[in-house]
């Protein structure tokens, strides 16, 4: 099968398809999405080598329960041991023994086939197209913010960064009823969000702050200081980028202003699937271009251009 | 009157007593406590010049309401404008126009007399001695943690730092029913806490972590990295030290482990006074030595020695 793999460089190669282990399903990838994390990995983040990709909608080819065969699924990307204390406490996404699809010790979804533990599979309703279903994973990451932070309808909320993740975060947070401001670098993206009713602001323009909750989703080290400056005393700053190396942080002002910083990563799939199925959130305007898997290297290059939306891979084409 | 003032150096000097403005009381200081923040100010923190000191129990000499005269009071150290939006939201301790007793634009309590807005005064019950009442302010800062973080009785909690503030934090957190471990550098302090039932651990010994909640109260830049290493994924790290300059922080691990950082500063006086009045918390073993105000410079030097507890100043002696 074809797979887009990284080992010092990203290449599309022909490899043997994976064989499902006990309790695992074999999946045929229908669509996979390129995430900023994939681009970071290609720059060396996580030290990962292997098949890239963790945003995926796929069809079940083999499953221990035959009734699953033929169903379309999204796949929870953290493969937990399901035996340790963290797993027992419901912290499977933080299992210390976990592998992570296309990120840590597990070949990813930029391939024709992948294997996944059946416990990680989430059926996709028929009404949700492949192009939408591929957003389940990043949309779940956006919903994670609401798992961690009580955003109140009277809050003033800012999302810093109007890229792929920032836009999904804005779509989720807009539904809380809070007054939402999205701050980004690209007028085109902001215009799309403004049409949905968000206040928008170019990154170098003055902002009518401060905010009760600020989400840092720029994917750049400069984002932290900017986000910090926008949050009110006793407010909450959500860190959504896994970009940074070490950042120099003045701790005393965080203490004096009693700021709460919340690191936020993967989230719950169920609310993301419900929102897509009900049409409450439509990320399709985010799609920039769809590439055949054999053109995966060009797809990565396209996804790395500034201001570009979601680039998809379609293995079957 | 005598006052221990800082202006490039700390000196005890004779100055005119302050005159209360409209709505202010004139207080006679009975006891004042030396805090690590005072020692930081003498090293240049906050750029403060003037009379030091913000932990105080005093007697009311003059008050717009004569029924207050003669009462003993503790004084909330943040002097808010009480007119701005933050004050209207109950965030007086974060008022952008505030002065702070002995820290920011307001002469402090290491003096025979001070003035305070009457709204900042909290009567001290007769059963609470001066030596205990001087702990109201730092004990309130310890209670602030429970205003901000829901510490559950089933949590594993670590306090990093067994100095003056760390010990008060431990005394407050021990009452939650959580399993408490105090990590410090001084065996003498840890023994006192161990006698109260806390698990204790020397800072360079292995610790049986991780913990659900970790409080960083070391007052040193190294404390953050140590505290971070002790907190479990999705756990909470409370920053209680206002010591640091810029600290280099790896942000991605905070995101991956979904850590919540909570900056924590001044707290509510009422629960601190209740706890002292009921004898539920007894910080008196923390008292190291009491100096006359005229010996204030020697008192600061004593307080700056490693492993030393609370040093008090007694202006009337």
């Amino acid at each position: 099968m074809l797979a887009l793999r990284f080992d010092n460089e990203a290449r599309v190669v022909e490899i043997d398809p994976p064989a499902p282990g006990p309790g695992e399903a074999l999946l045929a990838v229908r669509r996979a999405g390129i995430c900023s994390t994939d681009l970071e990995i290609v720059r060396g983040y996580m030290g990962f080598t292997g098949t890239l990709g963790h945003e995926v909608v796929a069809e079940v080819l083999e499953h221990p329960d035959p009734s699953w065969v033929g169903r379309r699924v999204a796949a929870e990307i953290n493969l937990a041991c399901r035996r340790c204390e963290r797993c027992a406490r419901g912290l499977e996404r933080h299992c210390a023994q976990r592998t992570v699809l296309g990120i840590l010790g597990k070949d990813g979804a930029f391939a024709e086939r992948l294997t996944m533990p059946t416990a990680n599979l989430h059926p996709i309703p028929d009404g949700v197209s492949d192009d939408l279903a591929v957003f389940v994973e990043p949309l779940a990451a956006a919903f994670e913010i609401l798992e961690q932070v009580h955003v109140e309808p009277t809050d003033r909320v800012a999302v810093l960064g109007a890229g792929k993740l920032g836009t999904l975060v804005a779509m989720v947070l807009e539904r809380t009823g809070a007054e939402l401001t999205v701050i980004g670098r690209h007028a085109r993206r902001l215009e799309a969000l403004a049409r949905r009713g968000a206040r928008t602001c170019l990154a170098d323009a003055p902002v009518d702050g401060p905010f009760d909750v600020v989400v840092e989703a720029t994917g750049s080290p400069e984002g932290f200081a900017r986000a910090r400056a926008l949050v009110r005393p006793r407010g909450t700053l959500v860190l959504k980028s896994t970009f940074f190396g070490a950042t120099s942080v003045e701790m005393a002002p965080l203490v004096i202003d009693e700021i709460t910083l919340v690191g936020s990563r993967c989230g719950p799939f169920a609310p993301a699937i419900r929102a897509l199925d009900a049409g409450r959130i439509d990320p399709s305007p985010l799609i920039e271009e769809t590439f055949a898997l054999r053109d995966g290297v060009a797809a990565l290059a396209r996804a790395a251009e500034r201001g570009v939306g979601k680039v998809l891979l379609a293995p079957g084409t």
Side-chain angles (χ1 to χ4, degrees), chain A:
Chain A
M1 69 172 191
L2 285 181
L4 172 54
R5 291 173 66 85
F6 177 72
D7 186 2
N8 283 316
E9 62 176 333
R11 289 192 303 158
V12 176
V13 294
E14 185 73 32
I15 59 171
D16 290 336
E24 287 194 331
L26 179 67
L27 309 178
V29 176
R30 294 173 64 95
R31 287 285 186 285
I34 298 177
C35 167
S36 296
T37 302
D38 301 315
L39 304 174
E40 287 301 299
I41 288 170
V42 171
R43 294 188 194 108
Y45 174 68
M46 296 295 291
F48 176 78
T49 59
T51 303
L52 296 163
H54 58 275
E55 301 177 357
V56 61
V57 55
E59 182 181 327
V60 178
L61 296 180
E62 299 175 18
H63 191 291
D65 174 353
S67 72
W68 279 73
V69 172
R71 296 179 80 168
R72 288 185 312 142
V73 293
E76 160 73 56
I77 72 173
N78 296 278
L79 288 73
C81 76
R82 298 183 188 273
R83 288 183 302 273
C84 70
E85 191 200 5
R86 287 187 196 169
C87 288
R89 292 177 66 167
L91 290 170
E92 292 93 346
R93 296 200 292 268
H94 291 283
C95 170
Q97 281 78 48
R98 74 185 181 279
T99 58
V100 186
L101 184 67
I103 296 176
L104 177 68
K106 166 73 180 170
D107 274 337
F110 296 164
E112 291 178 273
R113 302 282 183 271
L114 77 157
T115 59
M116 282 303 277
T118 57
N120 286 47
L121 303 184
H122 294 259
I124 298 297
D126 291 343
V128 178
S129 70
D130 289 343
D131 276 356
L132 284 178
V134 77
F135 283 96
V136 166
E137 196 279 336
L139 191 56
F143 271 106
E144 178 71 352
I145 296 170
L146 298 185
E147 287 281 292
Q148 300 176 281
V149 179
H150 177 196
V151 176
E152 302 176 43
T154 52
D155 279 343
R156 301 191 76 217
V157 178
V159 176
L160 192 60
K164 300 179 286 293
L165 184 57
T167 299
L168 293 174
V169 167
M171 287 173 167
V172 167
L173 294 186
E174 175 254 321
R175 300 190 57 79
T176 63
E179 183 193 294
L180 178 67
T181 301
V182 184
I183 302 162
R185 297 201 170 278
H186 299 283
R188 184 174 63 116
R189 290 239 164 279
L190 295 179
E191 281 160 21
L193 286 159
R195 280 195 297 274
R196 296 177 50 86
R199 295 173 179 223
T200 61
C201 179
L202 279 166
D204 46 8
V207 185
D208 180 27
F211 297 91
D212 302 295
V213 177
V214 177
V215 179
E216 198 295 296
T218 66
S220 80
E222 299 74 30
F224 177 78
R226 183 80 200 279
R228 168 65 188 89
L230 292 175
V231 67
R232 69 163 170 82
R234 283 213 157 187
T236 300
L237 200 170
V238 180
L239 303 176
K240 205 68 206 172
S241 300
T242 48
F243 182 97
F244 308 140
T247 301
S248 181
V249 179
E250 290 276 350
M251 288 291 180
L254 296 178
V255 174
I256 290 173
D257 283 348
E258 298 193 306
I259 303 299
T260 295
L261 294 191
V262 179
S264 179
R265 183 174 44 105
C266 297
F269 274 39
I273 294 171
R274 278 195 297 273
L276 292 171
D277 190 31
R280 290 195 297 265
I281 290 179
D282 175 15
S284 59
L286 265 174
I287 299 174
E288 188 78 36
E289 194 171 347
T290 301
F291 286 73
L293 177 58
R294 65 179 173 276
D295 299 323
V297 175
L300 285 175
R302 178 81 173 115
E305 291 172 20
R306 288 185 69 102
V308 160
K310 180 64 73 183
V311 173
L312 301 182
L313 292 169
T317 59

